[in-house]
Amino acid sequence: MSDLVQPKSVDVTYETEEPVLYEADAGIAWVTMNRPSFNNSQNGQMTYALDDAFQRATHDDAVKCIVLAGAGKHFSAGHDIGTPGRDLHHEFDKRLMFAPHTNKPAAELLYTREQEQYLGMCRRWRDIPKPTIAMVQGACIAGGLMLAWVCDLIVASDDAFFQDPVNPLMGIPGVEYFAHAYELPPRVAKEFLLLGERMTAERAERFGMVNRVVPRDQLRETVNAMAAKLAGQDRLGNWLTKQAVNHVEELRGKRAAMDAVFHMHHFAHAQNDLVKGDSIAGVSGRSASAENKKAAG
Ligand code: ZN
């Protein structure tokens, strides 16, 4: 039987009390994911700490620009699907208008959790009224893509790569925040999703998914220079400008498309649960990374 059929409470061991670091200086807030020993895989603890950090930066008038970074070798390996800190069955105070998820049966549990922690949070962070920059090095996989994509600008080091392998691994049509076909031309988005292979930063830049690619040792100074420029500009102008482009994406149907695909995503979770007894088809962080290594040769 699936672990989602009956709600349960599971012991969680967090390796850190600080899954996100926050530093504000010269008008720039640096929000750094801080689970480097697990390649910054995103558990609930980190999600709510990110939300705290983004709220803090939003509410501080001295902050004019926000950078999202990942400590260590990689930006983010995606959602936590297998560390001791995986907290799928842990209840956090909901930030959006959703009921508790841990006491819900079957597919309702994950549907409720992901409405809040993945789709809802990402949309909320995309709408932060200040410019945001993702500073990406190393791996940016699946759930990691969602975090980079909600930022206004993406600067990547030349060793960065982007990948959404959930269709080949789990039979799920992409991660919960389905921006793939907005970030990439449709045929490239299909390739990205169907084959689930790594896309280099250089190739991502060609499609406009990444703004700039720089050598690893110039990543921070490049981001810092862009952030400093934004921090020196008019606050309202920056806000209106990002809203203007976000609005154009909405007119192109981004929100409606995401809502539709979110339900396909959950249909696939439920199918996995029914057929394989596990909503993510028995994939763990370890097995996913072994498959990835094979795919990368
Ligand atoms: Zn999901």
Side-chain angles (χ1 to χ4, degrees):
M1 290 291 274
S2 156
D3 65 348
L4 294 182
V5 171
Q6 287 301 325
K8 63 180 179 184
S9 88
V10 170
D11 283 341
V12 174
T13 308
Y14 291 129
E15 81 287 357
T16 176
E17 290 302 308
E18 275 193 306
V20 172
L21 305 176
Y22 184 93
E23 190 192 333
D25 183 41
I28 305 165
W30 296 82
V31 175
T32 305
M33 294 179 275
N34 187 38
R35 299 188 73 202
S37 53
F38 297 113
N39 299 324
N40 297 318
S41 54
Q42 183 191 347
N43 56 5
Q45 182 204 32
M46 178 189 277
T47 303
Y48 286 89
L50 280 172
D51 195 61
D52 287 341
F54 288 139
Q55 286 206 58
R56 185 172 168 188
T58 298
H59 295 147
D60 182 352
D61 278 344
V63 169
K64 307 280 290 296
C65 180
I66 302 166
V67 176
L68 175 62
K73 264 179 84 175
H74 301 288
F75 178 76
S76 173
H79 296 145
D80 189 338
I81 54 172
T83 84
R86 187 184 189 215
D87 50 12
L88 176 66
H89 296 276
H90 185 81
E91 197 70 59
F92 294 86
D93 287 339
K94 294 281 190 284
R95 302 287 164 93
L96 307 170
M97 204 59 83
F98 295 105
H101 70 277
T102 52
N103 59 354
K104 300 298 183 292
E108 189 180 358
L109 184 151
L110 210 54
Y111 181 71
T112 307
R113 178 178 185 266
E114 295 195 350
Q115 285 273 11
E116 155 100 358
Q117 288 192 28
Y118 295 156
L119 184 59
M121 288 289 196
C122 282
R123 283 173 165 168
R124 170 177 166 95
W125 299 336
R126 173 177 175 260
D127 292 337
I128 289 171
K130 301 183 182 186
T132 53
I133 304 175
M135 182 170 87
V136 179
Q137 83 282 16
C140 180
I141 301 174
L145 292 167
M146 300 171 41
L147 298 172
W149 284 344
V150 297
C151 293
D152 300 310
L153 304 174
I154 300 178
V155 181
S157 59
D158 49 11
D159 66 348
F161 68 90
F162 302 85
Q163 184 178 27
D164 188 344
V166 306
N167 176 50
L169 290 179
M170 306 172 188
I172 295 175
V175 285
E176 294 80 5
Y177 181 84
F178 191 83
H180 309 62
Y182 286 84
E183 297 287 344
L184 295 166
R187 201 166 308 284
V188 179
K190 284 180 182 171
E191 175 193 338
F192 189 65
L193 284 158
L194 285 168
L195 300 179
E197 292 170 352
R198 295 179 176 190
M199 180 180 284
T200 62
E202 187 196 8
R203 188 165 185 232
E205 187 188 28
R206 261 187 270 147
F207 299 121
M209 197 184 97
V210 163
N211 295 92
R212 278 184 213 173
V213 181
V214 296
R216 177 73 167 254
D217 60 4
Q218 291 168 27
L219 182 61
R220 193 174 173 99
E221 67 185 85
T222 304
V223 170
N224 188 55
M226 290 168 87
K229 181 160 192 230
L230 289 164
Q233 295 175 183
D234 181 69
R235 175 174 55 235
L236 179 60
N238 285 341
W239 180 19
L240 295 175
T241 301
K242 75 174 277 181
Q243 279 194 120
V245 179
N246 284 357
H247 187 61
V248 169
E249 288 193 295
E250 297 309 340
L251 292 175
R252 290 176 181 155
K254 188 175 190 178
R255 187 178 180 90
M258 273 190 190
D259 280 335
V261 180
F262 184 79
H263 289 84
M264 294 182 206
H265 178 102
H266 275 273
F267 171 59
H269 272 314
Q271 175 76 347
N272 277 335
D273 223 6
L274 290 165
V275 174
K276 298 181 175 163
D278 183 82
S279 61
I280 55 172
V283 176
S284 67
R286 193 163 295 166
S287 66
S289 104
E291 281 300 312
N292 263 334
K293 278 194 189 117
K294 254 195 276 166

